[in-house]
Amino acid sequence: EVQLQASGGGLVQAGGSLRLSCTASGITFDDYAIGWFRQAPGKEREVVSCIASTDGSTYSADSVNGRFTISLDFAKDTVYLQMNSLKPEDTAVYYCAATIISSSWSVPSQQYQYDYWGQGTQVTVSS
């Protein structure tokens, strides 16, 4: 059974940093893409950042480009989302998701492309 565990959320002041972790069980991250998505109150869930384990290619939404960095630790089967210069509009429940990919594919960035989802972790940024 594939399980994804997201952690690291919390309350932080604007301008601060947090690091989210997504740890997998039941799979190893070989040939997977792992993505971070978020859903703010009253809004639809949106993509934040994704990474392909095949070649390390990444995708980040324009709203977080230059502030958030996604990385993967194969030894720990863990994906990190380092979030710097946080803004109140980053407040949301953050979810990690995974899907099998081929080495020839570009990193997927759409929610429907992901098959496995973890529970969310709340990130709250105060002004």
Side-chain angles (χ1 to χ4, degrees), residues 97-119:
T99 189
I100 297 174
I101 60 171
S102 168
S103 59
S104 62
W105 296 359
S106 58
V107 58
S109 62
Q110 305 297 313
Q111 296 181 53
Y112 73 87
Q113 296 174 296
Y114 285 81
D115 298 312
Y116 306 105
W117 290 80
Q119 92 296 347

Side-chain angles (χ1 to χ4, degrees), residues 20-98:
L20 304 184
S21 300
C22 176
T23 302
S25 61
I27 61 171
T28 59
F29 278 157
D30 298 329
D31 301 323
Y32 273 82
I34 298 89
W36 284 100
F37 299 82
R38 68 185 181 186
Q39 186 166 20
K43 295 187 177 181
E44 294 187 353
R45 190 163 56 187
E46 62 180 5
V47 64
V48 176
S49 191
C50 310
I51 187 166
S53 67
T54 50
D55 61 3
S57 59
T58 62
Y59 168 89
S60 289
D62 290 343
S63 58
V64 305
N65 230 344
R67 299 188 298 122
F68 291 10
T69 302
I70 190 169
S71 61
L72 191 155
D73 185 334
F74 281 103
K76 297 181 179 180
D77 283 325
T78 298
V79 170
Y80 301 102
L81 184 68
Q82 179 65 44
M83 306 187 296
N84 298 328
S85 302
L86 282 161
K87 305 175 181 180
E89 51 263 44
D90 294 318
T91 294
V93 178
Y94 283 70
Y95 300 89
C96 64

